[in-house]
Amino acid sequence: MNNFTKDNFHEIKSEPNWLVTWCIRFVFFSLLGFLVLSFYFVPVLFYTDGSIDGEQLLAFGMIYYPLLIVLSYFVVRFLKRRKRKSVRHIKVNCEGIFYELIDGTEESLRFDQFEISSNDHIVYDVFIVSKLQFTGDATYRQAFLKVFLNGKDHEVRPFHPDWGYSYFTRNSRILRSHFLRGIALFRPDLRIDPFIYSEFSIHPETYEFDKKNYRTGIILAIILVILIFIGIDWYMKYRFGASLLF
C-alpha cells in the first residue's frame, strides 16, 4: 500500500484549479444568461416578426411574465438554500473524509462509523452505484461510492467542491483513492467491491490513481464513439443513399 501505515497516513486537501474553474463558470453562466434572457424576450420576438399583434402580446404578457417572475423567484430561493450546503473544501485524513460547507459547518464520514453490510442482496460493504445525470443538454452516467451507516447504505458525496460557489479541484481522483486507501488501512474488516478499482482507475495494491488505465479507457471510448458514427454513416449511405459525415 505504498508503505502507508496508521502512523504515517497523511492528510490530503482539495487543491483548486482556477483556470478550469473560471472557464467552466464563464461557459455555464453565459449559456444560463442567454437561456434566461430568451424566456423574457421570446414573446417580443413573436411581436416584431408579425406573428402576433400588440393586443395579443399584452394579453399574453399579463399571464406569462408574472408567472415567469414567480418561477424565477422560486429558482433563486432554491439556489440560495443549496448554496448554504455547498462544499467549499475537502480533506481526507486518518479519521475519514471532511467537507467544509459554505455556511461554515462541517460534514464528515469517519472510518470508525462504517458498518458491515446488513443487506442480504449487497455482498460488499463499500461499493458503487451508477446514476444518470442530466445537465440540460446532455445525459451521462456517473458512479457514486456507497458505504453502510446506521444499518443502511449511504451515498458518499462527490470528491470535489461545488465549482459554482468554490472551485474546480485538480486532485479529486487522488482524494478518492486516498479515501479508499484509508478504508483498507483502518477498516480491513470491510469488503471493498473490486469493480471500484477499475471504475475509478485505482491500482488495487498501491491505491494510486492509475493514469495509464484512465487514459486507455478514454482512448477506447473515443474510438468506440468514432466507430459508432462511422457505422451510422455507412447505414445511412446504404439505406438512403446519402451520407451524414462524408
Side-chain angles (χ1 to χ4, degrees):
M1 209 177 295
N2 204 22
N3 297 323
F4 278 100
T5 66
K6 293 182 179 180
D7 297 323
N8 66 2
F9 190 84
H10 63 279
E11 181 176 88
I12 293 182
K13 297 181 179 180
S14 55
E15 300 174 357
N17 187 328
W18 291 113
L19 176 61
V20 175
T21 300
W22 285 108
C23 286
I24 294 176
R25 286 178 178 176
F26 174 77
V27 173
F28 176 79
F29 288 112
S30 296
L31 293 175
L32 180 62
F34 176 78
L35 181 63
V36 171
L37 290 176
S38 297
F39 278 115
Y40 280 91
F41 283 102
V42 162
V44 179
L45 294 178
F46 279 113
Y47 171 73
T48 56
D49 69 3
S51 299
I52 58 176
D53 56 30
E55 294 182 356
Q56 291 174 323
L57 175 63
L58 180 61
F60 178 75
M62 292 177 65
I63 300 174
Y64 177 78
Y65 285 109
L67 179 61
L68 188 60
I69 292 172
V70 171
L71 290 175
S72 300
Y73 169 74
F74 282 111
V75 169
V76 172
R77 285 192 59 184
F78 169 77
L79 293 176
K80 285 185 176 180
R81 288 197 303 268
R82 177 166 180 163
K83 179 182 179 179
R84 292 196 296 268
K85 292 301 179 182
S86 296
V87 177
R88 179 162 50 189
H89 299 297
I90 303 173
K91 63 181 179 182
V92 177
N93 57 31
C94 61
E95 296 181 10
I97 184 169
F98 297 83
Y99 301 91
E100 180 187 336
L101 307 184
I102 297 292
D103 62 4
T105 60
E106 185 178 75
E107 293 183 0
S108 65
L109 283 176
R110 300 175 184 270
F111 298 133
D112 57 10
Q113 295 177 314
F114 299 165
E115 301 171 352
I116 295 176
S117 172
S118 57
N119 191 326
D120 296 334
H121 301 289
I122 300 178
V123 178
Y124 299 101
D125 309 310
V126 183
F127 58 101
I128 58 176
V129 294
S130 297
K131 293 182 179 180
L132 289 178
Q133 303 293 317
F134 183 64
T135 63
D137 53 6
T139 302
Y140 66 97
R141 185 182 65 87
Q142 184 174 358
F144 294 89
L145 272 177
K146 277 199 170 188
V147 296
F148 275 88
L149 292 174
N150 302 319
K152 58 183 180 181
D153 57 293
H154 177 85
E155 186 176 295
V156 180
R157 274 178 176 262
F159 289 81
H160 53 79
D162 192 321
W163 57 264
Y165 304 111
S166 183
Y167 54 80
F168 180 88
T169 182
R170 67 174 77 249
N171 63 338
S172 61
R173 297 184 181 90
I174 296 176
L175 289 167
R176 183 193 292 118
S177 60
H178 200 56
F179 176 71
L180 290 168
R181 179 190 285 121
I183 294 176
L185 186 62
F186 294 97
R187 293 298 307 273
D189 57 315
L190 300 180
R191 298 160 295 177
I192 301 177
D193 188 349
F195 182 61
I196 289 176
Y197 304 118
S198 58
E199 175 69 20
F200 295 124
S201 300
I202 298 173
H203 195 285
E205 296 180 1
T206 64
Y207 285 86
E208 297 290 336
F209 174 59
D210 193 341
K211 294 181 180 180
K212 181 179 179 181
N213 183 57
Y214 178 75
R215 290 169 181 167
T216 301
I218 294 295
I219 293 173
L220 291 176
I222 293 174
I223 293 175
L224 178 61
V225 170
I226 293 174
L227 291 176
I228 290 175
F229 274 104
I230 292 176
I232 294 175
D233 188 71
W234 284 352
Y235 173 78
M236 294 295 293
K237 187 181 296 184
Y238 168 79
R239 183 69 175 81
F240 302 104
S243 173
L244 292 176
L245 302 176
F246 308 108

